[in-house]
């Protein structure tokens, strides 16, 4: 009898705990839920800022350096550490930076917590090569930015160079045929002695834990250059992040075939994708501050990129490179202001929309939102028709409502066999991109995914 009782007790314990396990799993956040705010956000600010920013790209007469300064100028670690000591960005003002991002219509910021130089831009207890112990600046800019983001309602996210670290003796890089291509061979010349796992255990993983423990909610852990990090090593980092902050999004550069979304660097893909993706881009030709680089993209190019990316279902992560004093360059601020002015009027064509059901149009781009079974189309016109007639080829659904955003001017709609023709005022309401809002019956079949 007792045996049977024990058996039942055991059964209840095992079964009960399995149920508890299921309950825990059912409260787990799904990838779709995790990505929800990010997919609606569409637009974020990338910030490349570190010890290297002081040089403004110039070292021994060469002016083309930036965030890779230590590597490209071949600076020995001890000299770079001495240079780090002079880093004192007295004009840094988290409130101003976050305001600039917010006024541009950006919903998140991604700031370099540690670039390839291995210098932590926060108060790390793990490693002394950081802004408190290794520089003159006795403040933690990441803490100030995290707090300011919380105040102003932006998501705080961090960049972390995973597979490259020029301060650590154990960080090998490269691939077959190009061994050690991004390693610090000046201070640590014997590549074969480097053990990646030792670097991960001693520095990278403990620092990732610090960032996820001491800075409130992290929106995205934005990893870069996993280099020789294996899928298993990357997965272990993913597991650690999931454990500490289940809501934190992880980009694809945490390891091979891993992460919540893919990244395009300095380019926009040709076609749309339903899987989450992001394009990160500079405003001139450098990520970190380069005072000689005056090759700025125009505000028009940036606004067109934002619309183009949204029309393909992606996010735009646009970079600024603040100076060594902690100031976002005026040229960047000016462009962000122009983007903000456009978004203030036309933001509904960007936030919370999905990719175009028609692919690209010759005259511009399209985004959509399905509301109560009907579709709202946003047509962003880059090239305004000189004859005032704009064709939307392929649109077969009945048009229920139509208007120009930010204009009282009347437009007319004519349905043809091959699509819809819009009669527009002769002059574009916005020289960069004017948005026409069309509410059509039902959803649009035939998704043009390239
Ligand atoms: O953080 C930014 C870059 O520093 C980093 N990723 C972005 C987000 C990055 N790592 N590798 N790459 C980008 C691609 C390689 C760029 C190079 Fe070069 C251009 C290597 C050689 C020419 C940078 C510029 C290094 C030397 C000159």
């Amino acid at each position: 009898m007792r045996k049977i009782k024990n058996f039942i007790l055991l059964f209840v314990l095992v079964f009960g705990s399995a149920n508890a396990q299921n309950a825990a799993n059912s409260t787990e956040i799904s990838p779709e839920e995790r990505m929800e705010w990010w997919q609606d956000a569409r637009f974020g600010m990338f910030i490349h800022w570190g010890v290297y920013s002081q040089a403004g790209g110039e070292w021994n007469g060469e002016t083309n350096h930036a965030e890779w300064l230590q590597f490209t100028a071949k600076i020995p670690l001890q000299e770079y550490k001495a240079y780090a000591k002079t880093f004192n960005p007295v004009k840094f003002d988290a409130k101003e930076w976050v305001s600039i991002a917010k006024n541009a219509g950006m919903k998140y910021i991604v700031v370099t917590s540690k670039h390839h130089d291995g210098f932590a831009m926060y108060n790390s207890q793990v490693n002394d090569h950081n802004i408190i112990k290794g520089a003159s600046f006795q403040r933690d800019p990441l803490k100030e930015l995290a707090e300011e983001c919380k105040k102003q309602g932006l998501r705080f996210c961090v960049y972390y160079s995973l597979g490259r670290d020029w301060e650590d003796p154990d960080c090998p890089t490269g691939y077959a045929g190009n061994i050690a291509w991004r390693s610090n061979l000046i201070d640590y010349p014997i590549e074969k002695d480097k053990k990646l796992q030792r670097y991960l255990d001693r520095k990278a993983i403990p620092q990732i834990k610090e960032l996820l423990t001491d800075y409130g909610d992290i929106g995205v852990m934005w990893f870069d250059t996993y280099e020789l990090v294996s899928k298993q090593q990357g997965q272990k980092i993913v597991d650690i992040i999931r454990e500490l902050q289940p809501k934190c999004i992880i980009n694809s550069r945490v390891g091979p075939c891993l992460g919540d979304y893919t990244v395009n660097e300095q380019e926009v893909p040709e076609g749309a994708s339903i899987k989450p993706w992001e394009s990160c881009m500079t405003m001139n030709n450098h990520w970190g501050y380069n005072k000689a680089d005056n090759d700025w993209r125009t505000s028009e190019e940036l606004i067109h990129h934002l619309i183009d990316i949204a029309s393909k279902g992606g996010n735009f992560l646009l970079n600024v490179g603040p100076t060594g004093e902690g100031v976002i360059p005026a040229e960047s601020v000016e462009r962000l202001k122009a983007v903000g002015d456009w978004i203030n009027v036309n933001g509904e064509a960007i936030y919370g929309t999905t990719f175009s059901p028609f692919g690209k149009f010759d005259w511009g781009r399209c985004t959509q939102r399905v509301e109560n079974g009907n579709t709202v189309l946003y047509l962003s016109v880059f090239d305004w028709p000189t004859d005032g007639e704009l064709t939307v080829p392929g649109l077969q659904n009945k048009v229920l409502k139509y208007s120009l955003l930010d204009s009282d001017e009347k437009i007319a709609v004519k349905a043809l066999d091959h699509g819809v023709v819009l009669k527009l005022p002769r002059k574009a309401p916005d020289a960069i991109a004017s948005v026409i809002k069309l509410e059509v019956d039902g959803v649009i079949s035939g998704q043009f995914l390239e």
Side-chain angles (χ1 to χ4, degrees), residues 281-301:
M281 205 179 274
T282 51
M283 286 195 208
N284 55 8
N285 296 317
H286 294 85
W287 295 98
Y289 178 56
N290 182 300
K291 61 190 175 196
D293 184 352
N294 284 311
D295 191 15
W296 297 94
R297 292 178 211 268
T298 62
S299 304
E300 176 166 354
E301 281 176 90

Side-chain angles (χ1 to χ4, degrees), residues 55-350:
E58 187 176 354
W59 199 267
N60 288 340
E62 286 277 333
T63 58
N64 206 22
H65 303 290
E67 74 283 358
W68 286 44
L69 178 71
Q70 182 187 354
F71 185 92
T72 51
K74 301 185 172 63
I75 304 171
L77 184 57
Q78 286 321 311
E79 191 182 341
Y80 195 74
K81 281 191 170 170
Y83 188 56
K85 275 283 176 199
T86 65
F87 188 48
N88 191 18
V90 288
K91 293 190 182 158
F92 169 69
D93 180 352
K95 188 174 171 190
E96 192 176 334
W97 286 17
V98 176
S99 299
I100 290 169
K102 188 177 173 137
N103 292 335
M106 293 160 152
K107 304 292 188 189
Y108 57 109
I109 69 165
V110 182
V111 60
T112 43
S113 67
K114 185 204 84 172
H115 206 272
H116 306 340
D117 62 2
F119 184 88
M121 289 292 287
Y122 68 96
N123 185 13
S124 176
Q125 307 304 315
V126 170
N127 179 291
D128 287 352
H129 195 41
N130 72 56
I131 192 143
I132 301 290
K133 297 198 187 72
S136 312
F137 198 52
Q138 291 305 303
R139 281 157 57 189
D140 181 338
L142 261 54
K143 185 128 270 172
E144 293 178 29
L145 284 167
E147 280 165 10
E148 199 53 46
C149 279
K150 201 170 175 191
K151 262 190 217 157
Q152 298 198 37
L154 277 77
R155 304 270 179 161
F156 176 72
C157 315
V158 295
Y159 167 108
Y160 193 89
S161 170
L162 187 57
R164 292 180 194 167
D165 189 308
W166 300 324
E167 183 267 344
D168 197 280
D170 275 310
C171 201
T173 66
Y175 52 90
N178 211 347
I179 306 293
W181 75 322
R182 299 306 191 224
S183 295
N184 177 356
L185 295 174
I186 296 177
D187 301 282
Y188 312 117
I190 308 171
E191 190 75 357
K192 68 172 174 44
D193 286 354
K194 299 177 187 175
K195 293 278 175 288
L196 180 62
Q197 192 62 50
R198 280 202 301 242
Y199 149 73
L200 291 174
D201 290 338
R202 178 180 51 242
K203 187 170 180 183
I205 291 174
Q207 286 198 328
I208 291 163
K209 286 183 180 167
E210 284 183 322
L211 289 165
L212 288 157
T213 310
D214 300 339
Y215 294 85
D217 290 342
I218 303 291
V220 179
M221 280 300 295
W222 207 105
F223 291 103
D224 202 6
T225 53
Y226 61 74
E227 289 280 352
L228 295 173
V229 171
S230 69
K231 181 154 188 189
Q232 274 150 321
Q233 287 169 320
Q235 184 62 51
K236 204 178 155 213
I237 293 168
V238 169
D239 293 343
I240 289 165
I241 298 168
R242 297 288 188 243
E243 177 84 33
L244 289 169
Q245 290 202 26
K247 289 186 188 156
C248 179
I249 294 168
I250 306 168
N251 78 343
S252 54
R253 294 183 177 176
V254 66
C257 309
L258 292 170
D260 294 308
Y261 72 88
T262 53
V263 172
N264 302 277
E265 190 163 317
Q266 298 287 37
E267 60 180 19
V268 181
E270 259 308 300
S273 168
I274 41 171
K275 289 197 191 136
W277 64 274
E278 180 179 66
S279 275
C280 59
M281 205 179 274
T282 51
M283 286 195 208
N284 55 8
N285 296 317
H286 294 85
W287 295 98
Y289 178 56
N290 182 300
K291 61 190 175 196
D293 184 352
N294 284 311
D295 191 15
W296 297 94
R297 292 178 211 268
T298 62
S299 304
E300 176 166 354
E301 281 176 90
L302 298 173
I303 292 167
H304 284 186
H305 275 313
L306 174 64
I307 301 167
D308 184 32
I309 289 167
S311 81
K312 294 166 179 170
N315 276 20
F316 190 24
L317 186 62
L318 181 57
N319 183 70
V320 297
T323 66
E325 284 192 309
V327 177
I328 299 179
E331 293 88 342
S332 300
V333 176
E334 188 190 306
R335 280 156 184 78
L336 291 171
K337 167 93 175 51
V339 181
D341 289 346
W342 185 87
I343 264 195
N344 269 340
V345 174
N346 303 294
E348 64 174 291
I350 302 295

